[in-house]
Amino acid sequence: MAKKSKSEGESMYKERTDGRAFDELRKIEAKVGIIPNADGSAMYKSGDTVAIAAVFGPRVMHPQHSQNPQKGLIRVNYDMMSFSVYERKKPGSNRRSQEISKVIEWALENCVDLSEFPNTVVDVFIQIPQADAGTRVAGINAAAMALAQAGVPMKEMVSAIAVGKMDKTIVVDVDKDEEDYEEGEGATDIPVCYLSRSKKLALLQLDGKISPQELKKALEMGRKACEKIYQIQLKALKEFEEAE
Ligand code: ADP
Protein backbone atom coordinates (compact mmCIF):
# COMPACT_ATOMS: atom_id res chain seq x y z
CA MET A 1 0.00 0.00 0.00
CA ALA A 2 1.33 3.44 -0.88
CA LYS A 3 2.51 5.37 2.14
CA LYS A 4 0.44 8.49 2.89
CA SER A 5 2.53 11.56 2.14
CA LYS A 6 3.18 13.86 5.12
CA SER A 7 1.45 16.83 3.52
CA GLU A 8 -1.83 14.89 3.13
CA GLY A 9 -2.30 14.55 6.87
CA GLU A 10 -0.87 17.88 7.93
CA SER A 11 -2.93 21.00 8.29
CA MET A 12 -2.04 24.02 6.17
CA TYR A 13 -3.22 26.32 8.96
CA LYS A 14 -0.15 26.38 11.21
CA GLU A 15 -0.37 29.86 12.72
CA ARG A 16 -3.40 31.98 13.48
CA THR A 17 -3.68 35.24 11.58
CA ASP A 18 -3.54 37.27 14.82
CA GLY A 19 -0.89 35.08 16.47
CA ARG A 20 -3.16 33.51 19.13
CA ALA A 21 -2.67 29.95 20.36
CA PHE A 22 -5.24 27.57 18.85
CA ASP A 23 -7.18 27.39 22.14
CA GLU A 24 -6.75 31.08 22.99
CA LEU A 25 -9.72 33.45 23.28
CA ARG A 26 -9.61 36.99 22.00
CA LYS A 27 -9.29 39.70 24.68
CA ILE A 28 -12.60 39.82 26.54
CA GLU A 29 -14.28 42.72 28.33
CA ALA A 30 -17.60 42.33 30.14
CA LYS A 31 -19.69 44.91 31.95
CA VAL A 32 -23.09 44.64 33.62
CA GLY A 33 -25.63 47.46 34.12
CA ILE A 34 -24.85 49.67 31.14
CA ILE A 35 -28.42 50.82 30.29
CA PRO A 36 -30.26 52.41 33.23
CA ASN A 37 -33.71 52.19 31.56
CA ALA A 38 -33.51 48.41 31.20
CA ASP A 39 -34.32 45.88 33.93
CA GLY A 40 -30.99 44.26 33.13
CA SER A 41 -28.22 45.04 30.65
CA ALA A 42 -24.69 44.06 29.75
CA MET A 43 -21.87 44.51 27.26
CA TYR A 44 -19.62 41.68 26.07
CA LYS A 45 -16.59 42.46 23.93
CA SER A 46 -14.42 39.80 22.33
CA GLY A 47 -11.60 41.30 20.28
CA ASP A 48 -13.29 43.60 17.77
CA THR A 49 -16.76 42.10 18.24
CA VAL A 50 -19.02 44.04 20.60
CA ALA A 51 -22.49 42.99 21.78
CA ILE A 52 -24.87 44.84 24.06
CA ALA A 53 -27.99 43.31 25.56
CA ALA A 54 -30.98 44.91 27.30
CA VAL A 55 -33.66 42.91 29.13
CA PHE A 56 -37.20 44.10 29.92
CA GLY A 57 -39.68 42.05 31.93
CA PRO A 58 -41.27 39.77 32.81
CA ARG A 59 -44.18 41.92 31.57
CA VAL A 60 -47.60 41.08 30.12
CA MET A 61 -47.18 39.50 26.67
CA HIS A 62 -48.64 41.36 23.71
CA PRO A 63 -50.12 40.21 21.38
CA GLN A 64 -52.44 38.37 23.75
CA HIS A 65 -52.74 35.29 21.49
CA SER A 66 -49.01 34.67 22.02
CA GLN A 67 -49.46 34.35 25.80
CA ASN A 68 -48.78 31.01 27.48
CA PRO A 69 -50.97 30.49 30.58
CA GLN A 70 -48.47 27.88 31.88
CA LYS A 71 -45.32 30.02 31.90
CA GLY A 72 -43.64 33.20 30.78
CA LEU A 73 -41.81 33.27 27.45
CA ILE A 74 -38.52 34.71 26.30
CA ARG A 75 -38.43 36.81 23.12
CA VAL A 76 -35.14 37.79 21.49
CA ASN A 77 -34.49 40.56 19.02
CA TYR A 78 -30.94 40.49 17.59
CA ASP A 79 -29.63 43.01 15.08
CA MET A 80 -26.35 44.40 13.78
CA MET A 81 -26.01 48.17 13.60
CA SER A 82 -25.47 49.74 10.16
CA PHE A 83 -21.95 50.87 11.08
CA SER A 84 -20.98 47.53 12.68
CA VAL A 85 -19.29 46.25 9.53
CA TYR A 86 -16.92 47.83 6.99
CA GLU A 87 -19.55 48.12 4.26
CA ARG A 88 -22.67 49.74 5.72
CA LYS A 89 -25.33 47.14 6.60
CA LYS A 90 -28.87 47.96 5.48
CA PRO A 91 -30.72 48.92 8.67
CA GLY A 92 -33.44 46.70 10.07
CA SER A 93 -34.32 43.06 10.38
CA ASN A 94 -33.45 40.51 7.70
CA ARG A 95 -33.51 36.71 7.36
CA ARG A 96 -30.11 36.35 9.05
CA SER A 97 -31.08 38.47 12.08
CA GLN A 98 -34.41 36.64 12.39
CA GLU A 99 -32.68 33.25 12.35
CA ILE A 100 -30.08 34.37 14.89
CA SER A 101 -32.78 35.84 17.16
CA LYS A 102 -34.60 32.50 17.13
CA VAL A 103 -31.43 30.48 17.77
CA ILE A 104 -30.47 32.72 20.72
CA GLU A 105 -34.02 32.42 22.05
CA TRP A 106 -33.72 28.61 22.05
CA ALA A 107 -30.35 28.78 23.83
CA LEU A 108 -31.63 31.17 26.53
CA GLU A 109 -34.86 29.19 27.10
CA ASN A 110 -32.67 26.48 28.62
CA CYS A 111 -31.42 28.62 31.46
CA VAL A 112 -34.45 30.66 32.59
CA ASP A 113 -37.36 29.43 34.69
CA LEU A 114 -40.48 31.48 33.98
CA SER A 115 -43.00 29.01 35.43
CA GLU A 116 -44.04 31.58 38.06
CA PHE A 117 -44.83 34.20 35.42
CA PRO A 118 -47.66 32.91 33.20
CA ASN A 119 -48.84 35.10 30.30
CA THR A 120 -45.71 37.24 30.45
CA VAL A 121 -42.72 37.81 28.20
CA VAL A 122 -39.11 38.68 28.90
CA ASP A 123 -37.83 40.78 26.00
CA VAL A 124 -34.13 40.52 25.22
CA PHE A 125 -32.75 43.10 22.78
CA ILE A 126 -29.28 42.39 21.41
CA GLN A 127 -27.45 44.99 19.33
CA ILE A 128 -24.07 44.60 17.68
CA PRO A 129 -22.25 47.96 17.43
CA GLN A 130 -19.17 46.27 15.92
CA ALA A 131 -18.84 42.88 14.22
CA ASP A 132 -15.74 40.76 13.64
CA ALA A 133 -17.42 37.32 13.63
CA GLY A 134 -18.92 35.55 16.62
CA THR A 135 -21.68 38.10 17.13
CA ARG A 136 -24.36 35.53 18.04
CA VAL A 137 -22.18 33.99 20.75
CA ALA A 138 -21.15 37.44 22.07
CA GLY A 139 -24.87 38.32 22.10
CA ILE A 140 -25.70 35.22 24.15
CA ASN A 141 -22.96 36.01 26.68
CA ALA A 142 -24.22 39.58 27.06
CA ALA A 143 -27.87 38.46 27.27
CA ALA A 144 -27.13 35.88 29.98
CA MET A 145 -25.52 38.56 32.16
CA ALA A 146 -28.38 40.99 31.48
CA LEU A 147 -30.98 38.35 32.45
CA ALA A 148 -29.11 37.66 35.70
CA GLN A 149 -28.92 41.38 36.52
CA ALA A 150 -32.66 41.75 35.79
CA GLY A 151 -33.35 39.11 38.45
CA VAL A 152 -35.07 36.79 35.99
CA PRO A 153 -35.13 33.37 37.72
CA MET A 154 -32.34 31.30 36.20
CA LYS A 155 -31.65 27.59 36.57
CA GLU A 156 -28.07 28.15 35.45
CA MET A 157 -25.94 30.54 33.44
CA VAL A 158 -25.08 30.09 29.81
CA SER A 159 -21.82 30.85 27.98
CA ALA A 160 -21.06 30.69 24.28
CA ILE A 161 -18.15 30.61 21.86
CA ALA A 162 -17.54 29.94 18.16
CA VAL A 163 -15.04 27.13 17.63
CA GLY A 164 -13.85 26.40 14.15
CA LYS A 165 -11.72 24.35 11.83
CA MET A 166 -9.23 26.06 9.52
CA ASP A 167 -8.17 23.42 7.00
CA LYS A 168 -7.49 20.61 9.52
CA THR A 169 -6.75 22.76 12.59
CA ILE A 170 -9.34 23.19 15.34
CA VAL A 171 -9.35 26.69 16.83
CA VAL A 172 -11.31 28.53 19.50
CA ASP A 173 -12.99 31.92 19.04
CA VAL A 174 -13.00 32.36 15.27
CA ASP A 175 -12.56 35.93 14.02
CA LYS A 176 -13.65 37.29 10.62
CA ASP A 177 -10.25 36.69 8.94
CA GLU A 178 -10.44 33.05 10.00
CA GLU A 179 -14.06 32.69 9.02
CA ASP A 180 -13.04 33.72 5.51
CA TYR A 181 -10.10 31.22 5.34
CA GLU A 182 -10.18 29.32 2.05
CA GLU A 183 -6.99 27.21 1.90
CA GLY A 184 -7.17 23.42 2.00
CA GLU A 185 -10.48 22.30 3.49
CA GLY A 186 -11.41 25.94 4.15
CA ALA A 187 -13.18 27.20 7.27
CA THR A 188 -15.83 25.50 9.39
CA ASP A 189 -17.67 27.69 11.90
CA ILE A 190 -19.24 26.02 14.96
CA PRO A 191 -21.03 28.28 17.43
CA VAL A 192 -21.57 26.39 20.71
CA CYS A 193 -23.23 27.29 23.95
CA TYR A 194 -22.83 25.45 27.27
CA LEU A 195 -24.90 25.60 30.46
CA SER A 196 -22.80 26.38 33.54
CA ARG A 197 -23.99 23.71 36.01
CA SER A 198 -25.34 20.77 33.99
CA LYS A 199 -22.58 21.31 31.36
CA LYS A 200 -25.21 20.55 28.73
CA LEU A 201 -24.99 21.92 25.21
CA ALA A 202 -27.66 24.59 24.72
CA LEU A 203 -26.70 25.43 21.14
CA LEU A 204 -24.72 23.77 18.38
CA GLN A 205 -24.59 25.11 14.85
CA LEU A 206 -22.28 23.96 12.12
CA ASP A 207 -21.40 25.75 8.92
CA GLY A 208 -18.88 23.72 6.89
CA LYS A 209 -17.45 20.21 6.95
CA ILE A 210 -16.04 18.29 9.93
CA SER A 211 -15.43 14.63 10.86
CA PRO A 212 -16.99 13.12 14.04
CA GLN A 213 -13.52 12.93 15.70
CA GLU A 214 -12.75 16.55 14.85
CA LEU A 215 -16.17 17.64 16.10
CA LYS A 216 -15.55 15.84 19.40
CA LYS A 217 -12.27 17.73 19.83
CA ALA A 218 -13.91 21.03 18.82
CA LEU A 219 -16.71 20.56 21.36
CA GLU A 220 -14.24 19.78 24.14
CA MET A 221 -12.26 22.94 23.31
CA GLY A 222 -15.53 24.89 23.18
CA ARG A 223 -16.58 23.56 26.59
CA LYS A 224 -13.28 24.63 28.17
CA ALA A 225 -13.55 28.08 26.57
CA CYS A 226 -17.12 28.44 27.89
CA GLU A 227 -15.89 27.68 31.42
CA LYS A 228 -13.44 30.60 31.12
CA ILE A 229 -16.20 32.86 29.77
CA TYR A 230 -18.52 31.83 32.62
CA GLN A 231 -15.92 33.04 35.14
CA ILE A 232 -15.70 36.37 33.30
CA GLN A 233 -19.51 36.71 33.33
CA LEU A 234 -19.60 35.96 37.08
CA LYS A 235 -16.85 38.53 37.74
CA ALA A 236 -18.75 41.21 35.79
CA LEU A 237 -21.95 40.46 37.75
CA LYS A 238 -20.04 40.62 41.04
CA GLU A 239 -18.40 43.92 40.09
CA PHE A 240 -21.85 45.36 39.33
CA GLU A 241 -23.26 44.17 42.69
CA GLU A 242 -20.31 45.60 44.59
CA ALA A 243 -20.64 48.99 42.85
CA GLU A 244 -24.39 49.24 43.72
P1 ADP B 1 -21.71 35.45 13.62
O1 ADP B 1 -21.51 36.94 13.70
O2 ADP B 1 -22.51 34.91 14.76
O3 ADP B 1 -20.38 34.72 13.44
P2 ADP B 1 -22.26 35.01 10.78
O4 ADP B 1 -21.42 33.79 10.60
O5 ADP B 1 -23.56 35.11 10.06
O6 ADP B 1 -22.61 35.17 12.34
O7 ADP B 1 -21.41 36.28 10.43
C1 ADP B 1 -20.05 36.32 10.58
C2 ADP B 1 -19.53 37.71 10.43
O8 ADP B 1 -19.74 38.17 9.10
C3 ADP B 1 -20.21 38.76 11.31
O9 ADP B 1 -19.76 38.73 12.65
C4 ADP B 1 -19.78 40.01 10.59
O10 ADP B 1 -18.43 40.33 10.91
C5 ADP B 1 -19.87 39.59 9.12
N1 ADP B 1 -21.18 39.95 8.55
C6 ADP B 1 -22.38 39.41 8.78
N2 ADP B 1 -23.35 40.04 8.09
C7 ADP B 1 -22.74 41.02 7.38
C8 ADP B 1 -23.20 42.04 6.48
N3 ADP B 1 -24.49 42.18 6.16
N4 ADP B 1 -22.26 42.85 5.95
C9 ADP B 1 -20.95 42.72 6.24
N5 ADP B 1 -20.46 41.79 7.11
C10 ADP B 1 -21.34 40.96 7.68
Side-chain angles (χ1 to χ4, degrees), residues 49 78 80 84-90 94 96 100 128 130-138 162 174-176 179-180 189 191 205 207:
T49 290
Y78 158 102
M80 292 202 325
S84 63
V85 282
Y86 190 61
E87 275 184 36
R88 179 179 175 276
K89 177 202 159 271
K90 195 169 163 231
N94 54 34
R96 175 181 173 274
I100 293 179
I128 308 297
Q130 192 167 301
D132 185 37
T135 62
R136 77 194 64 199
V137 290
V174 177
D175 65 19
K176 185 69 182 144
E179 214 181 72
D180 295 338
D189 184 27
Q205 292 190 286
D207 185 9

Side-chain angles (χ1 to χ4, degrees), residues 9 15-16 42 50-51 67 96 118 159 164 169 203 229:
E15 261 177 49
R16 299 187 80 171
V50 185
Q67 290 180 0
R96 175 181 173 274
S159 312
T169 308
L203 166 73
I229 293 165

Side-chain angles (χ1 to χ4, degrees), residues 51-64:
I52 54 176
V55 166
F56 297 84
R59 55 191 183 181
V60 177
M61 164 71 102
H62 293 293
Q64 208 175 342

Side-chain angles (χ1 to χ4, degrees), residues 89 100 105 119 126 151 182 212 226:
K89 177 202 159 271
I100 293 179
E105 211 170 273
N119 300 322
I126 297 171
E182 286 181 343
C226 285

